[in-house]
Amino acid sequence: MASTSNNSVDQIRILKLVDGKHCENTLYRLQKGWTIRFMLGPDLASQKVTVYTNIPPSEQPFKRTVYYPLSWELLTKSGINSLDAYAPVKLSHSGAFQYYFTYNDKKAGSGYFIVDPTLCIGMDNHVLPLDAVCMQTLLPKSLGQFCDWKDRLLVAKESGYNVLHFTPIQKLGCSNSSYSVSDQMAVNPSFYSSVPVTFNDVENLVEEIRRDWEMLSVTDVVWNHTDKHSSWLKTYPESAYNLHNSPYLRPAYILDRAIFHLTLDIEKGKKYASYFPLSIIETEKDLESLKVILLKNVLPGLKLWEFYQVDVPKQVEHFTQAVKSFKQNGNVTKDVKIKIIQDPNFNRLQCSVDIQAAVEQFYAGSDCDLDRAVSSFVSTLEWLNRVKKETVMSDLFSAVNNIIAGVRYERLAADGPKVVLLNKQHPLTTMYFHHQFEDSTVDEEEQFVFGDTKNSKFIMAHNGWVMGANALENFAEYPGKVYFRRELVCWGDIVKLRYGSSPSDCPPLWERMKQYTEMTARIFHGIRIDNCHSTPIHVAEYMLDAARKIRPDVYVFAELFTGSEEVDNIFVNRLGLTSLIREALNAWDAHELGRLVYTYGGEAISSFIQPATQILQPSRAHALFYDITHDNESVIVKRSIRDVLPFSALVSMSCCAIGSNRGHDEMTPHHINVVNEKRKYRKWNSALNSGSEFVGIKSGMIQGKHLLNVLHQTMAMNGFTQIFVDQRTQDVVAVTRHNPQTHYSYILVGNTSFSDSKMKPVPPMLVEGSIMGIPLEAKPSETEQSTQDYLKGFTKDKQFINGIDNYNLVVDTDIAASNSTCCKILESEDKSSQTVHFTHFPPGSIVVLRVKVTETVNKSISDIRETIASLHNSNTHFDKLVSKLNLRTLNRVLFRCNEEEMSDGFGISAYQIPSWQKLCYCGIAGIAIPLKKISFSNDLGHPICSNLREGNWLMDYISSRLLKHPDTKDVGNLYADWFSILQKLPRYLIPMYFELIISLTYQKLLHACWKNMSSFVAEGSSFVKSLSLGTVALCGVVKGAALPRVHPDVPGVCSTSVDKDVQDCSSISAGLPHFSSGVMRCWGRDTFIAMHGLQLVTGQYDDARNIILSFAGCLRHGLIPNLLGEGKISRYNCRDAVWFWLQCIQDYCEAKGFELLGMPVARIFPEHDSEPTPVGAKSQPLSDIIQEAMQRHVDGISFRERNAGSGIDSNMSDEGFLVEVGVDKTTGFVFGGSKFNCGTWCDKMGESEKAGTRGVPATPRDGSAVELVGLCKSTVRWLEAAHNSGKYAYDGVFIKTCDGSVNKLTWAKWNEQIAKNFEKYFYVGDEDTSHLVHKRYIYKDTHGASYSWCDYQLRPNFPIAMVYAPELFDAEHAWKALQIIQDKLLGPLGVKTLDPDDMQYRGDYDNSNDSDDKSIAKGFNYHQGPEWLWPVGYFLRAKLYFAKKLGSKKLEETIRFIRSYTVNHQLHLENSQWCGLPELTNSNGSHCHDSCPIQAWSHATLLDLLYDMKDL
């Protein structure tokens, strides 16, 4: 996780909800005062979701089962997008909290979040950060009498610790183990002196220590077990697992007693003297003998399988009795098979079978032949008994192996206790059950215990742990076999407590432990859950809820042995564990130790700074990182004496809580056993170095540890949150802690000694910045003696826990760098860095360097921070500059792809990131978009970051590019100024500050874009705003692809700042990067399909007007150009562009009025055959141009393209250059084209010589294309209305008849003619008897095509007609047809261009395919299946229109569907480096590498859709 921008700003974390996701093992850590915003994930966009959480309002107490619904709020004024809504909750309590969410009365997902407690110390209650915790574990029994505690605890204080961890202070049991609590409600009487000690006394001391010593105190709670002799168990034996409440343990108990009696037999030396003549076990041969005895002598006689078997004669008797009352009814269940039903009381041979089922299986199944039935029944019972015996024997074989393994560890293993004696006190293995009665024989004990309920209640199961067990399952519960298979690592002094599932199952136990927990929480500031992984999790939840009622900010930590981080997270989530104990002693070498130091906290140095509002990311459980715990062996024994200091020093550099065990700092060379240790800790005496009863600052490594603890706290309290671990050599590790605010650092270098080793050369270390001094330097005073020499010379004190006093460290503190005795520091010539040469740095040494940046760098950091701070304001110089930029200039600042930029002629292309790719855009968006993802993931290793660290090339590129253009020069100067400061920083800091400058300015530039747009966009949803950026990215002025000049009398049109001959009018790129420059940029069809969404909806009316007039000047043959070519080399080979142009005219007039119709158009081609004329040579009002287009269509258009041949189209056949268009006088339908060309948007011309498709159009769509009929209807309808209102002078067109006469076709008549014929000729209903019908209840794609079967193909074109002329469609027909499109054609992002059931369907487009497959060669299937995005907008708009017609229920369902479906487009926009939606995808939404990644009409039609929905 990267740094948070400013902790003084309200911190907000966004948690995205995912349908069906239950995040019980995902950990989210937060802090009090923060806010969570729950937001809907994409799959919930269409649902009415309610979020509940059990975090209470600030004034109410927490109750785990009480959940509060959250209210939804909106980020924007627009309510269109539910993904912009959020449900906030302020975090006012610490602990573990759960959330869940519902819709349609079902629980759809859930999860947890943890809120860290606030820990306060001192008179002023100042906060102790969690990462500042320095904890020391102590055994209270070794503190002696209570009156001496302070003297002994003072050692921890003077050693620099700030948290004391006490093992239980309660009365202990017979073993005197620190965790064998005998009475949870009584203080350990060993603390008494002349008067008893009370819990109040302890509480007062704890508070005194907190107040005066500024130290917290925490202790263990032991919920899972109690001492086996606890007096309260006599009253409440049901509190433990015993043979009465857990009879399934009976076989395990018998086995346990047999092992015990085997011990006695071996001890007596009679029965097994030949195997063990000395009555001891000391060799592997002895173990083999023991195994033989168990398997052959002991286990067979126990007949433990009888607990799982049936008494065959008894069951036969029941069977024969049942047969007598059996009545045949013919309903025999043939598949019924009997099985053994376990006796719940686990008595021998008391299991049973389902007799009724047996009668059906054997009696009825044998045609009621009793003899045969009984015989079969007996055989089956005997077989079932054998199976049970085999299972039991298998379990017993495992048990024997486990017994042998246990004996081997305890008696033979080098690292085991090496027990010698074999007797009642030292049995073969630890007994699994507490047998409180006199010993007799196994048989007699079985009768005694099983025969009397009172006796069985007091045979209680011991507790322990099971290696590799599922921590979420209670190993003591049935049907577990842990006790029977001897899998328990058993603690023989305690019994396992049995809580059941709720307090009602064992009220005395729950109440006692609740009181114990509440008392603990009242006294102590924190709780360590002992044996947490084996404690039933619901019990721990209950107890912690009670604790938090007493102390809301209780610090809860535990040691988990689950073996899984995910399972750890479940415990952390449900219990609200603040920290998990981690053990540094698990590291097997210095490299692994360094990895652990890095893993358990902190972030990488120079991490990106995250905003105050950010996505909530999963966390790692907070670590309490111990160098050595009270369960660990001494470091001196496990590694070497010289590793004690560097090992602990490296741990102290961790960016998390740290801990240690009392005795480690005093260099105690053995494990201080929690069970056997009876000696006392030594007291503090600052005047002494050491002594039998006292320790001082010079004892062991206390001085060094004190300084390390102080350093750890200093770093945590002063913002040293970043960390870097450098493995210098096999043994030498350097750890840097860095403050991202001050850029000060502490560097600790430690020379570890995992085993005794000689001094080796240490390579020099380069340090950027200035070394201010050396806070700590320590090394062994001598290096010759080995660890074994020290161990041999050590004498264990009989009264006090002592350490090795003759291992001396030379410790220097706060010295100048020049005074170091272990290293020499040399400064570089430019004084920007220093090199540390390790001159005398033997194993066991450490040195800490305090480093700051140079004054020059510090000045640059201050300057850049001042710049960044100002950018957070809204009235900076940058804001003022940007506010003056129009969208054409913002296009240049933000976007422009490689080809657009190169067309300017400045020699600039898109920036190439080495080892990665070219940036998509040359403008700020090109770097800001990938940088956002890099920052979010803190990917400091990304090639962009590497490029920034290695040189200034990218910064120079950004500023110099902007400086080259007059319109962006001022902005470029600002970037240049900022980057000149940035370049003075240390290279490792540049990516972080560069990202801040880019992200802040990028957001300002985006807001400037939206401010230049309509209120629909400016106040719209994030989806609307993202789509609207297509207006900026795709609309601009590009040299060599300019619009034809607009008439000079059109107001507001001027020349560009760099070329007086080019008007400052934006053109619309069809898509980037393929259609970005030159003749391929501007397409008539694409321009006018995109215009409404990209320009009218966004409020760019002047740009829309100029494009309409500019294209009008190019009118020729009554057509608008397909390829514009600046009006000089235009192609007029499409018949649909003119109709989309006419539609845009009416859309513009609807928005801005009819003045447009009177504006002058500069005709380039006054006559169809004339050469281009100068601007102004001939002009006409736009209304005349419209009328000319309409009249030409009625007259009929027929011409051969100019310059026909390979010069303008290398693939077209000669016949294809003939363009023919007209209007059917009987239907009113516009028609045109031929089988040799393709004049609509499905315009793929075959290119493959190999496949024989060259010159063959893939989709001619000649005849009357359905969308063009709809567009024509829309136009004549509008012209009729415009004429009737006096806005348009012409009332119709003229038609020449066969006899030469002229008739008028009025708009009204033409309108009526189309309406009358449309359903008749286009709807494919039941009445259509053509053999070409492939699907019914759709609308034809064309009418009158050269290939008649093409008319009946299902394509997504009729919804376009529905949008522009919905009155043509019967509402029910339309709805059914749209549903078929949804079912058959709709993909994740786009819509299939052909029915997948069609034999011509090919869903994947690859223009490079050079096969001989006609259907796909050279991309022949461009419109034969691939999923295009722009028709989706029309489909959804049509669906929305007809849903309104069909009632509120249909409308509600449709709105929900649209919101759900368009989430895919939102997600694509969020993840697109092009900030765009693509032209098309391949089948099922798969990526198409030949598609433009951002396409004008893909954005536009979805903007149109959202505009339609704005008031819904």
Side-chain angles (χ1 to χ4, degrees), residues 273-393:
S274 61
Y275 291 100
F276 312 108
L278 299 178
S279 299
I280 59 174
I281 295 175
E282 57 183 356
T283 68
E284 282 293 329
K285 183 179 178 182
D286 293 339
L287 292 180
E288 285 299 319
S289 298
L290 178 61
K291 186 173 184 179
V292 169
I293 291 169
L294 284 167
L295 290 173
K296 291 187 175 181
N297 297 73
V298 177
L299 297 183
L302 299 178
K303 297 183 179 180
L304 295 176
W305 50 82
E306 290 184 343
F307 290 98
Y308 304 93
Q309 290 180 327
V310 299
D311 182 333
V312 175
K314 184 178 178 181
Q315 294 302 314
V316 170
E317 182 180 344
H318 292 324
F319 178 80
T320 54
Q321 290 296 322
V323 165
K324 295 177 182 178
S325 57
F326 176 72
K327 293 182 179 180
Q328 183 78 44
N329 58 13
N331 296 325
V332 177
T333 306
K334 293 183 179 180
D335 295 332
V336 66
K337 301 291 183 184
I338 65 166
K339 60 183 178 179
I340 290 179
I341 301 170
Q342 181 61 50
D343 171 30
N345 295 318
F346 279 76
N347 291 308
R348 290 181 184 271
L349 299 176
Q350 293 302 303
C351 295
S352 61
V353 297
D354 185 337
I355 293 298
Q356 198 59 42
V359 171
E360 288 194 15
Q361 180 180 348
F362 298 104
Y363 183 65
S366 63
D367 298 326
C368 299
D369 184 330
L370 181 58
D371 290 339
R372 188 151 59 97
V374 169
S375 177
S376 297
F377 181 49
V378 169
S379 297
T380 301
L381 291 178
E382 290 173 345
W383 173 75
L384 289 172
N385 275 349
R386 284 196 301 274
V387 170
K388 286 293 183 183
K389 182 176 180 179
E390 289 169 2
T391 302
V392 169
M393 289 307 297

Side-chain angles (χ1 to χ4, degrees), residues 3 40 180 247 269 341 373 448 563 641 706 747 833 859 901 940 944 963 967 977 1131 1186 1236 1374 1487 1492 1494:
S3 298
L40 300 183
S180 178
I341 301 170
F448 176 78
I641 194 166
H706 167 82
I747 304 174
S833 63
K859 173 66 166 60
E901 194 74 12
L940 294 168
I944 288 178
L963 287 168
D967 294 347
D977 291 344
R1131 283 195 72 186
I1186 295 171
F1236 301 108
H1487 176 69
C1492 283
I1494 179 171

Side-chain angles (χ1 to χ4, degrees), residues 81-103:
N81 185 12
S82 61
L83 298 189
D84 284 340
Y86 65 92
V89 58
K90 189 84 169 180
L91 305 179
S92 55
H93 297 65
S94 65
F97 304 99
Q98 190 174 15
Y99 68 89
Y100 71 90
F101 55 95
T102 64
Y103 66 85

Side-chain angles (χ1 to χ4, degrees), residues 1288-1307:
Y1288 188 74
Y1290 304 97
D1291 64 348
V1293 289
F1294 296 98
I1295 298 178
K1296 293 181 180 179
T1297 63
C1298 296
D1299 59 5
S1301 60
V1302 177
N1303 297 326
K1304 173 162 288 187
L1305 177 63
T1306 65
W1307 307 128

